[in-house]
Amino acid sequence: MAAPWRGLLDSEYRPRLPVTPQTPSVTLHEGNTPLLRSAHLCARTGCDVWLKVEGANPTGSFKDRGMTVAISRATQAGVRLVVCASTGNTSASAAAYAARGGLGAAVLVPTGGVARGKLGQAARFGARIVEVAGTFEDCLRAARELAAHHPVALVNSVGNELRLAGQRTVAYEIVDALGAAPDVHCLPVGNGGNITATWQGYCRYGRGRPRMWGFQAAGAAPLVHGAPVAEPRTDASAIRVGSPATWAPAVAARDESGGLIGAVTDAEIFAAYRDLARLDGVYAEPASAAAVAGLLAEHRAGRLTPGSTVAITLTGNGLKDPDAALRDDYDPAPSGPATAEVARTLGLTG
């Protein structure tokens, strides 16, 4: 019998992570997420399309990969409080891993800019939640200044080798599952850290390099326009970022890989969001679906080579944003309690 999965710091990838033999393993058994073949996307694109379901991580997003490293190292250093800025997923992950490691957590979020499911997670994990009257960029500035002047550890991924090293493991897992790197890797882009880390992961693993295709929401697409967006707008809240802090590395990942960063509309994002659930049985949060919408847009434009192997990072679980699930297509049919009435409602009888 194979040994049970015990998380990234206790896996074969530990030698690739910035830890020492003395680093404790603060883990919720993150990583080792499903890689599912999408029959409907294969049929629509003529390619071999695989979904990396990062919503299966312990707190429901890819952020757990880097957070296990950051919190483990913070614990080793004797830190008692960690702080982060977040549009939601980072706050949930930081709060959970801090709780696991016996640390306090403070999360800075833009007022009204975070899905309820993510706020609920941070609250239940015991984090101190500060709602900032501003943007994500304001939250990140404040978090950085707090870390510079107070005895707290900043656990955002921006310029943070601990977080980025953990996030690179998604590329290692995809390569190990497929036998080689895919031809194209699609993923949503908000602050830019994930496309940066994933590209670095492929480069460091040494078994092929895909073209990196990142996708932003049309109303929050600074990397597409080449300039910050003062008031980013999208209902895919996880990528509602107007000035990515990991701007240059994200652009470098695009350029070095011969890839692209494109924009998709909210209508395209939510169409892909519905199809992932109905046709693949995968419940991803709206931001994740931006990568699927982008792949389909590139296919329509004739820029996707038939027969390519494509990996798509689905960054977060649909349970993160319960309001999005009920924004349309929820039309329950009323019925009385009798079985015959239920049968008639379903059209099973005359």
Side-chain angles (χ1 to χ4, degrees):
M1 178 182 294
W5 180 259
R6 297 178 57 198
L8 294 172
L9 269 68
D10 294 309
S11 74
E12 63 190 279
Y13 305 124
R14 184 182 176 100
R16 295 180 176 273
L17 299 173
V19 295
T20 69
Q22 290 72 44
T23 304
S25 179
V26 180
T27 180
L28 291 166
H29 294 190
E30 61 294 316
N32 196 31
T33 54
L35 185 66
L36 305 178
R37 192 170 187 269
S38 172
H40 94 270
L41 289 174
C42 291
R44 291 177 70 174
T45 64
C47 294
D48 193 23
V49 183
W50 296 83
L51 307 173
K52 186 62 167 167
V53 187
E54 289 293 273
N57 276 301
T59 76
S61 87
F62 75 97
K63 303 287 187 176
D64 295 347
R65 291 181 179 275
M67 202 61 69
T68 184
V69 182
I71 299 297
S72 293
R73 285 287 300 272
T75 302
Q76 182 180 14
V79 170
R80 302 308 305 161
L81 179 69
V82 299
V83 64
C84 71
S86 179
T87 55
N89 282 329
T90 297
S91 67
S93 186
Y97 280 82
R100 185 73 171 172
L103 310 181
V107 301
L108 281 57
V109 300
T111 302
V114 177
R116 288 191 304 163
K118 302 170 188 180
L119 282 176
Q121 286 183 286
R124 292 284 68 77
F125 293 134
R128 179 74 180 272
I129 300 171
V130 180
E131 293 192 345
V132 176
T135 65
F136 167 79
E137 289 74 23
D138 294 317
C139 296
L140 182 58
R141 172 191 48 76
R144 284 170 159 169
E145 292 173 359
L146 287 173
H149 299 290
H150 300 277
V152 300
L154 180 66
V155 293
N156 280 94
S157 63
V158 182
N160 186 334
E161 172 60 19
L162 304 179
R163 286 283 309 282
L164 293 174
Q167 288 176 206
R168 290 180 196 126
T169 59
V170 73
Y172 309 159
E173 290 182 11
I174 290 171
V175 169
D176 285 342
L178 296 179
D183 299 305
V184 175
H185 188 122
C186 300
L187 70 175
V189 175
N191 211 33
N194 203 23
I195 189 172
T196 298
T198 303
W199 170 240
Q200 292 173 347
Y202 285 118
C203 292
R204 296 185 182 208
Y205 216 45
R207 292 163 65 183
R209 299 182 180 187
R211 287 174 288 160
M212 300 300 297
W213 285 8
F215 298 98
Q216 299 190 290
L223 296 179
V224 177
H225 302 306
V229 176
E231 296 184 3
R233 299 179 184 276
T234 175
D235 286 338
S237 60
I239 53 174
R240 192 186 297 140
V241 177
S243 183
T246 316
W247 188 306
V251 170
R254 176 198 67 189
D255 294 346
E256 291 170 10
S257 71
L260 59 86
I261 296 178
V264 287
T265 66
D266 272 21
E268 291 173 309
I269 290 172
F270 279 88
Y273 166 76
R274 289 188 291 271
D275 284 349
L276 279 168
R278 293 175 177 176
L279 303 176
D280 282 309
V282 176
Y283 189 22
E285 68 173 312
S288 295
V292 177
L295 175 69
L296 295 174
E298 294 304 308
H299 170 63
R300 290 193 298 270
R303 289 187 284 267
L304 180 62
T305 303
S308 297
T309 298
V310 179
I312 302 176
T313 300
L314 299 181
T315 47
N317 194 296
L319 293 171
K320 296 279 192 171
D321 193 349
D323 292 335
L326 300 177
R327 59 179 271 157
D328 57 17
D329 300 328
Y330 178 67
D331 186 20
S335 172
T339 303
E341 293 176 279
V342 176
R344 283 194 296 272
T345 300
L346 293 174
L348 300 177
T349 60

